Amino acid sequence: MRVGHRRKPALITDVKVENPGLNLTYPKVSGLKHKSAESGINRYIKKEVHRLLKEEGYGTEKEKKFNGGYTVKLNKRGTLSIIIEIFSYVKGGEKGTTIRKTINVSLKDARVYYLHDLFSRRIRKSKYIGVLNEIIKSQIKSREIKTTEEFNTISINQDYYLTEHSLVIYFQMFEFTPFEYGFPEFEIDFQDIADIINSKGPIGRLLKDKENSNETADE
């Protein structure tokens, strides 16, 4: 059986920034067919890194030190999902602060994918949010996660990233869990939400890859 065209993954290289009080590595994308998308993605990544640094006080709080890095979670089927983390601290202070931002973008046109882009447009936002909330609540109970306050709901612009097989919803530190949980993550297998996903979106394309996995060994 003939398999449709599959977009090649992006080439990811490190951009290292070393300034007084700053040691940072963030990703640069190359090798894309559409160069406008390539430049758009790189502008977006750089803008988000600068925004995070500014929010944490870089350039204004001279006593703070900053370290940062990234992890690629998905680079396949036209979608890039990358976690960027920045750690800031004051020398001699008790604890620092870590914040996390995920870059979820299209390798075709640099479109940023928000949570609602993953789900069918035929359903209301309240439906997919409700489904995700119930899965998260179930995992909190089954994993016996300690909470500082009751979990109620995710937000419309909830933080997430994608892997080849799952949607991972995560929360910032201290949102509703103690320090030892770091960034609490809730992994949701695509098959558990297959009936409400956008078939033409990132998850839909990855599910098609699964269906065709026995038809080709080229990927």
Side-chain angles (χ1 to χ4, degrees):
M1 184 180 291
R2 185 176 181 272
V3 179
H5 172 67
R6 296 180 180 182
R7 297 188 180 280
K8 293 182 178 180
L11 298 175
I12 309 292
T13 54
D14 292 351
V15 177
K16 296 183 181 294
V17 181
E18 294 184 4
N19 292 326
L22 175 63
N23 188 335
L24 174 69
T25 302
Y26 66 88
K28 182 178 181 180
V29 171
S30 62
L32 298 185
K33 178 180 179 180
H34 301 282
K35 296 304 175 183
S36 59
E38 185 173 293
S39 59
I41 293 169
N42 287 326
R43 282 196 304 270
Y44 177 63
I45 291 173
K46 190 174 182 179
K47 182 187 74 172
E48 288 301 295
V49 168
H50 287 175
R51 182 182 64 79
L52 292 174
L53 286 170
K54 185 177 180 181
E55 284 183 2
E56 291 303 292
Y58 180 68
T60 56
E61 299 182 36
K62 304 298 183 183
E63 72 281 3
K64 269 191 175 183
K65 308 293 182 184
F66 298 83
N67 294 321
Y70 72 94
T71 305
V72 179
K73 290 297 185 178
L74 179 70
N75 180 14
K76 187 177 182 180
R77 211 54 171 109
T79 302
L80 183 66
S81 192
I82 292 178
I83 289 176
I84 295 173
E85 287 191 1
I86 293 178
F87 174 67
S88 61
Y89 65 98
V90 176
K91 193 172 182 180
E94 290 185 6
K95 292 181 181 178
T97 301
T98 304
I99 57 172
R100 175 186 282 188
K101 166 69 180 180
T102 313
I103 306 290
N104 298 297
V105 293
S106 164
L107 295 175
K108 179 183 177 181
D109 56 13
R111 174 185 175 182
V112 177
Y113 290 122
Y114 297 99
L115 188 65
H116 63 81
D117 294 314
L118 308 180
F119 296 94
S120 173
R121 295 176 182 176
R122 299 175 184 174
I123 64 173
R124 290 181 292 183
K125 288 184 174 68
S126 59
K127 180 173 181 178
Y128 76 76
I129 287 176
V131 170
L132 298 179
N133 283 343
E134 289 308 307
I135 293 173
I136 291 170
K137 288 176 182 178
S138 177
Q139 288 194 27
I140 289 173
K141 183 177 180 179
S142 64
R143 291 160 56 187
E144 298 182 340
I145 295 175
K146 296 178 182 178
T147 60
T148 53
E149 59 182 80
E150 185 179 359
F151 168 76
N152 290 313
T153 183
I154 61 173
S155 68
I156 294 293
N157 297 316
Q158 182 64 44
D159 293 320
Y160 78 92
Y161 64 83
L162 296 173
T163 71
E164 287 190 40
H165 308 289
S166 60
L167 162 66
V168 181
I169 300 289
Y170 72 89
F171 298 84
Q172 297 298 321
M173 297 178 70
F174 306 116
E175 277 196 59
F176 66 91
T177 54
F179 173 79
E180 60 264 27
Y181 285 93
F183 297 91
E185 296 187 344
F186 300 88
E187 185 173 2
I188 302 169
D189 191 283
F190 291 153
Q191 297 299 334
D192 293 338
I193 51 175
D195 59 332
I196 58 172
I197 60 101
N198 177 357
S199 61
K200 295 182 179 180
I203 295 178
R205 293 194 296 270
L206 289 164
L207 283 173
K208 286 177 184 176
D209 265 3
K210 272 190 174 184
E211 293 170 2
N212 297 325
S213 62
N214 294 326
E215 299 171 9
T216 180
D218 295 336
E219 189 71 351

